[in-house]
Amino acid sequence: MEDIEAIAALQDPVRRRLYEYVVAQGREVGRNEAAEGAGVARTLAAHHLDRLAEVGLLESGSRRLTGRSGPGAGRPAKVYTRARGERAVSLPARDYRTAAELLAEAAEQAGLDAGLCAAARRRGEALRGSAAPCGGLEDAMAMLAARGYEPHLESAAGVQDAEGAEATTGEAAAVVRMRNCPFHAVAERFPPLVCGMNLALLEGLFGADGAVRARMDARPGECCVVVESSKDNID
């Protein structure tokens, strides 16, 4: 019932915009920023953000947004981030996660990594269908966003998500990172097996002759796979 209540909280369009804005930033977000991002008044944003925290979709805390400390630094502001827990509803009840974990355990014990990756690559190719191999990072981001990976582009000039919002970063070359792994729960228990499967799936989805390539580059809190321009396509 808690999961149903949490998901139902997103039925309100303002609340959903606020949730999506906070999630897209990949960091703590204050009330003023969230209100501006969602195009609503601060008091309304505060009410909905607290409701999202109450049902467990967001986590809240407090810190000084000025970056200063000591006298004159101002009072700590309330900030929000996406909650770490997962929410799912299935009617009637289904338990695909347990099945996935059992299959992953059996595959790992039997040393079926290569066979699993081959199957994942074929599935990626099937998902791409008759479409041409991926033409560039923008196409890759659209494909990843459609599959729930929550991609964002990192480069020396800044970070862009799938909708073009910018932030800063120290990356020297353009690379697409993903804030969400659709296989997170199983990947936590069987990381080499599942991360390898994920990489192979994306290789099939993008196509071997495309303008991008996927590779492993794990970072805490994000998908272990990143996407970049193929070396053969870099001038």
Side-chain angles (χ1 to χ4, degrees):
M1 295 300 293
E2 290 182 359
D3 283 0
I4 294 176
E5 182 181 6
I7 294 172
L10 295 175
Q11 185 174 1
D12 183 285
V14 173
R15 198 173 293 159
R16 183 161 187 169
R17 288 206 308 274
L18 286 163
Y19 175 77
E20 290 174 344
Y21 180 83
V22 172
V23 166
Q25 308 316 304
R27 54 174 172 78
E28 293 179 331
V29 175
R31 287 172 167 175
N32 287 341
E33 180 187 350
E36 183 176 351
V40 298
R42 183 185 184 281
T43 52
L44 181 61
H47 166 74
H48 285 304
L49 289 167
D50 285 341
R51 176 57 181 162
L52 289 167
E54 181 183 329
V55 299
L57 291 175
L58 297 180
E59 294 179 357
S60 62
S62 62
R63 67 176 177 87
R64 289 187 173 90
L65 298 178
T66 61
R68 303 193 304 271
S69 60
R75 297 177 59 187
K78 200 162 188 179
V79 292
Y80 303 84
T81 57
R82 174 164 52 187
R84 290 184 288 271
E86 296 180 8
R87 301 286 183 174
V89 175
S90 177
L91 297 174
R94 297 288 186 262
D95 189 4
Y96 299 115
R97 175 172 171 177
T98 296
E101 289 178 348
L102 288 171
L103 290 168
E105 182 178 358
E108 187 175 74
Q109 291 178 353
L112 300 178
D113 304 56
L116 177 61
C117 287
R121 194 170 289 107
R122 289 194 299 271
R123 175 57 64 90
E125 292 169 352
L127 290 171
R128 178 162 49 87
S130 60
C134 188
L137 291 181
E138 287 188 6
D139 289 344
M141 290 180 72
M143 296 167 76
L144 292 167
R147 302 202 63 80
Y149 283 91
E150 298 179 8
H152 59 100
L153 180 64
E154 290 193 359
S155 69
V159 179
Q160 285 191 325
D161 62 18
E163 297 180 354
E166 284 199 1
T168 59
T169 185
E171 292 287 335
V175 60
V176 175
R177 293 188 178 272
M178 294 163 268
R179 294 194 175 100
N180 183 52
C181 172
F183 316 110
H184 173 73
V186 187
E188 278 195 317
R189 290 197 56 190
F190 309 96
L193 181 76
V194 178
C195 291
M197 176 200 76
N198 187 25
L199 175 62
L201 177 73
L202 294 180
E203 287 174 343
L205 186 65
F206 296 142
D209 300 325
V212 303
R213 71 181 184 106
R215 62 177 175 84
M216 293 287 194
D217 187 10
R219 176 186 288 182
E222 295 192 346
C223 180
C224 60
V225 178
V226 299
V227 181
E228 62 189 5
S229 296
S230 300
K231 291 183 179 179
D232 293 341
N233 294 278
I234 299 176
D235 294 333

